[in-house]
């Protein structure tokens, strides 16, 4: 009776962790995290890396599977180091080179990697397939490379500083390793205490079968997100663009500008306005998402920076009543590997600044 209850409890706990839609699709960067990077500077990457790993349930599930049956420090260090080297190489290289892969597909493969490690723990290759299991060190290293692409995809959502790009990446990766180390210590404490109990054997079977179900569930959810995003998302983008163009065709904009931002580059565009004046605006890229910060700086006090809106999008529109006399406008960051042209339309009482 105890074993049955234990099995059900473990299975329920693992599956419950992925039933929330936000978690199941992707653990991406929130707008609050992106804003924290802007305000906190390079060291905020360290904290963000640590918290991102600790909230990365798929990465943690893989690490949990790696160490589950390991008892010696040497073996634990060997396999965890292989995984760390793997994901560090692709995290640093892919981010530095601007290599971007579809995060749904990457996370789908990461889900399969959780299945793989649990299947190997159950000696599934011999029991069910009748073959020798692949070399574990090589497999963990290879799967670590894939996990690194997933981490890189998340990191590239941030407004990385082109002048300190490598330092940003290394600091984020260091945070990842610190978060992984903390999670690893907690996992080992729980497993080593439980290993001495009679219930560990049924628990180990339940846990690894549950990891297989968890990985399969993550895989299906990510593939659903990929197919959903590839279809309906495109339709939604086309509809939104059509509505925007129709509305703009009926509007009397004062200025229409084409602003090009180079690949992996950034640009700031400002207008000079007096206090209490209204600016109406609309801009779009045609599909490429940019990080942007719509903000103002008072005349003679550039350190008194006021952000009206900071986010990531391929378009934005609205209006603002200026709270002070000074410059007001946008900072755009292009993290893609291609130049992006912004179609910017403006209306209001302002003076243009060539910048």
């Amino acid at each position: 009776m105890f074993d049955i209850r234990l099995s059900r409890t473990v299975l329920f706990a693992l599956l419950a962790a992925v039933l929330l839609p936000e978690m199941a699709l992707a653990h991406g960067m929130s707008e609050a995290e992106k804003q924290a990077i802007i305000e906190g500077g390079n060291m905020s990457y360290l904290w963000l890396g640590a918290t991102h790993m600790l909230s990365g349930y798929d990465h943690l599930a893989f690490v949990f599977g790696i160490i589950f049956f390991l008892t010696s420090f040497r073996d634990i260090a060997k396999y965890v180091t292989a995984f760390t080297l793997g994901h560090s190489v692709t995290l640093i290289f892919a981010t530095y080179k601007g290599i971007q892969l579809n995060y749904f597909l990457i996370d789908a493969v990461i889900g399969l990697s959780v299945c793989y490690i649990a299947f190997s723990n159950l000696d599934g290759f011999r029991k069910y397939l009748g073959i020798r299991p692949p070399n574990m060190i090589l497999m963990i290293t290879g799967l670590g490379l894939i996990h690194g692409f997933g981490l890189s995809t998340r990191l590239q959502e941030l407004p990385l500083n082109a002048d300190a790009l490598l330092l940003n990446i290394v600091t984020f990766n260091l945070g990842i390793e610190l978060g992984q180390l903390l999670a690893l210590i907690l996992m080992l404490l729980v497993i080593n205490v439980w290993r001495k109990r009679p219930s560990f054997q049924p628990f180990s079977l339940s846990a690894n079968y549950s990891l297989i179900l968890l990985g399969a569930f993550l895989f299906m959810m990510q593939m659903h997100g990929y197919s959903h995003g590839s279809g309906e998302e495109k339709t939604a983008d086309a509809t939104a663009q059509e509505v925007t163009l129709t509305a703009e065709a009926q509007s009397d904009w004062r200025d229409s500008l084409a602003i090009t931002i180079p690949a992996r580059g950034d640009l700031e565009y400002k207008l000079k306005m007096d206090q209490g004046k209204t600016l109406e605006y609309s801009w779009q890229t045609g599909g490429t998402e940019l990080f942007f910060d719509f903000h103002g700086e008072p005349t003679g006090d550039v350190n008194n920076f006021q952000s009206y809106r900071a986010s990531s999008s391929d378009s934005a529109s609205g209006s603002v009543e200026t709270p002070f006399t000074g410059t007001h406008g946008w900072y755009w960051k292009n993290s893609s590997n291609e130049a992006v042209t912004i179609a910017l339309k403006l209306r209001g009482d302002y003076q243009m600044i060539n910048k």
Side-chain angles (χ1 to χ4, degrees):
M1 180 64 69
F2 174 77
D3 293 346
I4 294 175
R5 289 178 180 175
L6 177 63
S7 300
R8 289 177 178 174
T9 300
V10 173
L11 180 58
F12 176 80
L14 288 170
L15 291 180
V18 295
L19 290 180
L20 294 176
E22 297 87 352
M23 294 179 65
L25 288 178
H27 45 90
M29 300 291 183
S30 68
E31 296 305 326
E33 288 174 322
K34 294 176 183 179
Q35 187 63 28
I37 287 296
I38 300 172
E39 298 173 352
N42 186 70
M43 288 307 296
S44 58
Y45 285 89
L46 184 71
W47 173 254
L48 184 59
T51 55
H52 191 62
M53 172 55 80
L54 291 174
S55 65
Y57 50 91
D58 46 3
H59 298 286
L60 294 180
F62 186 76
V63 174
F64 182 68
I66 291 176
I67 67 169
F68 199 89
F69 286 121
L70 300 179
T71 56
S72 72
F73 175 80
R74 180 178 180 181
D75 286 340
I76 292 171
K78 179 172 65 174
Y79 288 110
V80 171
T81 299
F83 176 61
T84 299
L85 288 176
H87 73 239
S88 296
V89 166
T90 45
L91 168 60
I92 295 173
F93 179 77
T95 308
Y96 190 74
K97 292 295 185 180
I99 300 173
Q100 296 180 328
L101 303 178
N102 186 285
Y103 60 83
F104 283 116
L105 293 180
I106 289 296
D107 284 357
V109 177
I110 290 175
L112 291 180
S113 75
V114 176
C115 295
Y116 174 87
I117 199 68
F119 185 74
S120 180
N121 285 343
L122 294 168
D123 200 21
F125 289 98
R126 289 192 177 92
K127 287 183 179 179
Y128 303 111
L129 302 180
I131 60 175
R132 289 185 60 185
N135 183 285
M136 184 58 74
I137 284 289
L138 293 180
M139 289 304 298
I140 288 177
T141 303
L143 293 172
L145 294 172
I146 297 172
H147 280 245
F149 276 116
L151 295 169
S152 175
T153 300
R154 296 301 182 270
L155 181 57
Q156 290 187 65
E157 294 177 4
L158 296 172
L160 298 172
N161 184 349
D163 296 329
L165 179 60
L166 185 58
L167 183 60
N168 290 164
I169 299 170
V170 171
T171 305
F172 179 81
N173 190 58
L174 180 59
I176 289 288
E177 307 317 327
L178 291 175
Q180 178 178 281
L181 179 62
L182 178 58
L184 183 63
I185 292 173
L186 295 175
M187 290 178 191
L188 288 173
L189 287 175
V190 172
I191 291 177
N192 287 337
V193 170
W194 207 330
R195 198 186 304 276
K196 301 173 183 178
R197 299 176 180 270
S199 60
F200 180 76
Q201 186 59 32
F203 164 75
S204 66
L205 294 175
S206 299
N208 280 284
Y209 279 118
S210 297
L211 282 175
I212 292 176
L213 293 176
L214 169 63
F217 183 80
L218 287 173
F219 172 78
M220 291 185 291
M221 289 299 295
Q222 298 297 344
M223 292 306 296
H224 172 75
Y226 173 71
S227 59
H228 180 80
S230 298
E232 295 181 12
E233 186 176 56
K234 290 180 180 179
T235 303
D237 287 344
T239 303
Q241 184 177 14
E242 182 179 353
V243 171
T244 301
L245 291 175
T246 301
E248 290 178 358
Q250 300 174 353
S251 300
D252 184 20
W253 295 102
R254 173 179 162 181
D255 290 293
S256 298
L257 309 169
I259 301 173
T260 300
I261 304 179
R264 307 285 294 177
D266 56 4
L267 184 143
E268 192 171 39
Y269 187 85
K270 293 292 188 64
L271 304 167
K272 185 176 181 180
M273 299 183 65
D274 293 330
Q275 182 178 0
K277 302 300 182 179
T278 299
L279 172 67
E280 296 179 75
Y281 66 90
S282 174
W283 63 264
Q284 59 182 353
T285 66
T288 303
E289 186 175 275
L290 303 177
F291 171 81
F292 71 92
D293 191 336
F294 181 37
H295 61 277
E297 299 166 346
T299 300
D301 187 11
V302 294
N303 293 323
N304 189 14
F305 177 98
Q306 181 172 340
S307 180
Y308 307 134
R309 183 184 176 192
S311 184
S312 295
S313 181
D314 62 354
S315 63
S317 61
S319 64
V320 63
E321 183 176 338
T322 54
F324 46 75
T325 297
T327 57
H328 307 266
W330 294 265
Y331 167 81
W332 286 288
K333 170 67 176 178
N334 178 17
S335 298
S336 72
N337 292 320
E338 296 182 357
V340 175
T341 298
I342 298 171
L344 174 64
K345 297 181 182 295
L346 303 168
R347 178 171 53 231
D349 189 1
Y350 56 80
Q351 294 179 344
M352 302 186 71
I353 301 175
N354 293 327
K355 195 167 186 177

